[in-house]
Every structure is written in structure tokens, then in C-alpha cells.
Amino acid sequence: MLSQTNLAMRINARLDDEYADKLAFIQQQTNQAVTDVIKSAIELYYQQLQQEQKNPFSMLTQTGFIGCGEAHSDLSVNYKSILRDGLKAKYGYR
């Protein structure tokens, strides 16, 4: 049951034994109160969803991945001959 008071939200949740044990383990390892564990979990989940919603093209552009390489302008058409010539130059004729 969720209730909203001013700017805070109170959460009442039922956990089965498995999740209760996991929560207890997290509390033991982090010395955090239940409220802080829940806040951390919500923050991690929120960040994950935000990352999934980003456009892959814009992510690659922002990181500089797109446009970072150089190649022949006709590479998609002549890749075999360009690769052959590059290998010949590097390793000689075989």
C-alpha cells in the first residue's frame, strides 16, 4: 500500500523468505537501513532504464565513436581490393 504525505512516500511491502533474506544480506554487507537499501535499488533501476531509453545513434555520436575512423570513401564497394592491396603492402606477395 502506498500513501503520500507531503513530499515523502511511505511504502508497505510484503517480501517472501527469499527476498527477506536478500534484504537482510544487503543490510548486513552495507550497514544500511531498509530505507537506504530501497533508495539505492530504485536509483540503480532508474539509471538502467534511463540508459536503455537513450538512442544508440546519439550515444555513439556523443562518445565520439561515430566519425573516429578514416577510410576510403568507396570502401563499401571496393573493400576486397583495398584489403588485398593493404595486405600485399604489409606482407608482400605470397
Side-chain angles (χ1 to χ4, degrees):
M1 170 173 262
L2 299 176
S3 65
Q4 186 138 359
T5 307
N6 295 335
L7 298 175
M9 178 185 288
R10 188 167 214 32
I11 298 175
N12 182 10
R14 295 175 196 243
L15 301 177
D16 60 21
D17 289 341
E18 177 186 359
Y19 285 100
D21 290 344
K22 289 178 180 181
L23 177 58
F25 176 79
I26 292 169
Q27 283 185 278
Q28 180 184 13
Q29 295 298 310
T30 63
N31 292 321
Q32 290 181 326
V34 173
T35 299
D36 295 327
V37 172
I38 292 172
K39 286 179 180 178
S40 296
I42 290 171
E43 183 63 30
L44 287 171
Y45 196 28
Y46 178 81
Q47 289 175 8
Q48 178 185 351
L49 291 173
Q50 288 293 315
Q51 289 296 322
E52 290 173 2
Q53 290 182 358
K54 287 188 177 178
N55 179 342
F57 177 76
S58 69
M59 287 175 47
L60 292 172
T61 303
Q62 289 173 0
T63 61
F65 184 78
I66 292 180
C68 68
E70 294 181 18
H72 297 272
S73 59
D74 60 349
L75 180 62
S76 64
V77 177
N78 298 318
Y79 67 94
K80 289 181 183 179
S81 62
I82 294 170
L83 179 61
R84 183 188 63 240
D85 294 344
L87 291 173
K88 283 181 184 177
K90 184 172 184 176
Y91 297 108
Y93 292 98
R94 289 191 179 193

